[in-house]
Amino acid sequence: MKKILLLSDTHGFIDKQILKFVKQVDEVWHAGDIGDLFVTDEIKKLKPLRGVYGNIDNATARLEFPLDNRFMVEDVTIWITHIGGYPNKYNQRIREEIKKHPPKIFISGHSHILKVQFDKKLNLLHLNPGAAGKHGFHQIRTMIRFEIVGKEIKNLEIIELGKRG
């Protein structure tokens, strides 16, 4: 069993509230727009981190993190990319690949809109954790926490961190 914390769009912001949740899981996944590698460095001091770079991330972040991160945890395939779209509206860059080789969990960020949606056509769970940072149009800072046990995704929770401002 792995407990996962999923966040995105920190835009250079991290606080004790986020780090409190980091301490409660086995791994942290960041879906891009890190903003400053200080954010991921702070997370990595506490837990293993997997991530991708986003459209606002600089060359240093792009050297450390890939555009797409495909991996397996327990018996579940995962694909994280920052600008990926969502069921029936996948980004053109990934559309054909996701149809040919769908993961069990597809994660994207970018929109700052929290979304948990099952894609019946591709038999995958789409997750967008919204935005954990303070920059953007979102009103409430959000993250997602869940567990992977064998082939199952369990105990998925939406975490609200309060107002952006």
Side-chain angles (χ1 to χ4, degrees):
M1 178 181 81
K2 289 272 187 185
K3 291 183 181 180
I4 308 298
L5 180 67
L6 173 61
L7 70 158
S8 186
D9 295 277
T10 47
H11 290 262
F13 178 81
I14 192 156
D15 63 2
K16 289 179 183 175
Q17 194 176 13
I18 293 171
L19 293 173
K20 176 184 85 170
F21 287 101
V22 167
K23 292 174 188 172
Q24 298 171 7
V25 298
D26 299 312
E27 287 187 17
V28 178
W29 301 348
H30 197 300
D33 277 4
I34 299 159
D36 186 319
L37 290 183
F38 170 78
V39 170
T40 50
D41 290 345
E42 288 299 299
I43 293 168
K44 287 192 285 187
K45 286 178 188 175
L46 300 170
K47 297 293 171 160
L49 173 73
R50 300 178 196 250
V52 296
Y53 69 79
N55 57 296
I56 67 127
D57 291 317
N58 65 21
T60 308
R62 291 168 190 239
L63 287 173
E64 185 166 340
F65 295 99
L67 173 62
D68 296 300
N69 196 345
R70 290 191 78 138
F71 55 95
M72 189 162 222
V73 170
E74 300 268 318
D75 297 320
V76 175
T77 54
I78 294 102
W79 181 357
I80 306 175
T81 194
H82 184 61
I83 303 176
Y86 51 91
N88 298 317
K89 299 239 184 213
Y90 292 110
N91 183 280
Q92 186 175 354
R93 182 183 69 80
I94 60 109
R95 197 173 295 144
E96 290 308 310
E97 180 64 20
I98 202 167
K99 285 177 186 174
K100 286 180 193 168
H101 304 286
K104 184 148 186 182
I105 302 175
F106 178 68
I107 298 167
S108 60
H110 187 62
S111 70
H112 293 222
I113 298 169
L114 178 88
K115 193 173 281 201
V116 176
Q117 185 177 1
F118 190 74
D119 184 333
K120 292 177 186 172
K121 288 180 188 169
L122 299 180
N123 194 32
L124 64 82
L125 179 63
H126 167 65
L127 301 175
N128 184 323
K134 292 189 170 191
H135 176 78
F137 64 88
H138 60 285
Q139 298 301 308
I140 304 293
R141 297 169 46 231
T142 57
M143 303 186 297
I144 296 175
R145 180 170 52 189
F146 59 97
E147 297 171 0
I148 298 176
V149 182
K151 295 179 179 180
E152 296 183 17
I153 299 136
K154 296 183 164 198
N155 301 319
L156 192 138
E157 303 171 80
I158 305 300
I159 298 169
E160 290 190 354
L161 298 166
K163 293 196 181 237
R164 175 174 56 91

